[in-house]
Amino acid sequence: MTVSSKPAINSFTVMNELVFPNDTNPLHNLMGGRLLHLMDIAAAISAQKHSNHIVVTASVDNVSFKHPVKLGDVITIQAKVTRSFHTSMEIRIEVFSENIQPNSRIKSNEAYYTFVALDDTGKTTLVPEIIPETEEEKQLYITALSRRELRLILAGKMKPENATQLKALFFPEL
Ligand SMILES: CC(C)(COP(=O)(O)OP(=O)(O)OC[C@H]1O[C@@H](n2cnc3c(N)ncnc32)[C@H](O)[C@@H]1OP(=O)(O)O)[C@@H](O)C(=O)NCCC(=O)NCCS
């Protein structure tokens, strides 16, 4: 059974947080685990907006922390579904931080989360397709297939020989 399609923008989510002392390490930098927690919540809200179902985190792609976020900074987390498959959705997260100074906003990191929609009995359930509208959304929609294959192969959920986009990466002689 197919379900309706929804524009990517409908899943757009923005969360703002002020970094308090109990969020930081002894260097007064935001702890990575605290940021991952906030990113997970933003991604879940985005996936829930798209699917209108309870969602669970299936995986988090590699996250690198490019710039430390300091005590007193404001962090802004933006989340949007890039593509849905059957029961799963890929969500792109971007994190920005800024201090009290003007024009201090920088992008501190980004990541892709995968969420799966569940029905009221806890079983996986189909989600609407995504309609990418902007050039960036279209690009992210296309490249989502390769990212999905890579993460499923790394998770042992897909055999490299079954990949379509990434087969050449694993079997260059073919
Ligand atoms: C995520 C979960 C629902 C998947 O269940 P499952 O029995 O493996 O289901 P399936 O194999 O049918 O996969 C369902 C979907 O999840 C996707 N999926 C499963 N494991 C995945 C992974 N490691 N990374 C990305 N996607 C994954 C599948 O590709 C599939 O997507 P599709 O339907 O869009 O094609 C299940 O593993 C689960 O409940 N995990 C715990 C979730 C949780 O508690 N998260 C919080 C951690 S504290």
Side-chain angles (χ1 to χ4, degrees), residues 40 55-61 84-89 114-118 122-127 148 151-152 154-157:
D40 189 54
V55 294
V56 291
T57 318
S59 71
V60 182
D61 291 7
S84 57
F85 297 96
H86 305 102
T87 65
S88 68
M89 297 151 274
T114 301
F115 276 75
V116 174
L118 304 180
K123 289 200 185 104
T124 58
T125 188
L126 292 175
V127 297
R148 169 182 160 94
R151 74 173 66 93
L152 290 178
L154 292 176
K157 294 254 172 179

Side-chain angles (χ1 to χ4, degrees), residues 30-40 43 57 59-67 69 77 91-95 107-114 151 154:
L30 175 64
M31 286 184 291
R34 174 72 178 136
L35 183 56
L36 288 172
H37 171 70
L38 296 169
M39 291 162 74
D40 189 54
T57 318
S59 71
V60 182
D61 291 7
N62 65 311
V63 187
S64 39
F65 299 95
K66 291 183 199 154
H67 302 286
V69 179
I77 302 174
I91 298 96
R92 180 169 188 241
I93 297 282
E94 291 180 287
V95 182
K107 184 166 173 175
S108 60
N109 53 328
E110 61 182 56
Y112 292 95
Y113 281 61
T114 301
R151 74 173 66 93
L154 292 176

Side-chain angles (χ1 to χ4, degrees), residues 117-172:
L118 304 180
D119 67 14
D120 293 342
T121 67
K123 289 200 185 104
T124 58
T125 188
L126 292 175
V127 297
E129 288 181 10
I130 274 283
I131 306 168
E133 293 175 322
T134 67
E135 277 312 308
E136 184 185 54
E137 287 170 1
K138 288 175 187 169
Q139 196 58 34
L140 289 167
Y141 180 90
I142 292 167
T143 52
L145 263 190
S146 302
R147 289 190 297 273
R148 169 182 160 94
E149 287 188 352
L150 186 58
R151 74 173 66 93
L152 290 178
I153 290 168
L154 292 176
K157 294 254 172 179
M158 177 184 274
K159 292 185 177 156
E161 57 267 34
N162 292 336
T164 54
Q165 310 294 306
L166 297 185
K167 198 167 185 171
L169 191 66
F170 293 94
F171 303 101

Side-chain angles (χ1 to χ4, degrees), residues 38-59:
L38 296 169
M39 291 162 74
D40 189 54
I41 293 172
I45 294 170
S46 178
Q48 192 173 300
K49 276 190 193 184
H50 178 69
S51 64
N52 297 115
H53 279 286
I54 293 168
V55 294
V56 291
T57 318
S59 71

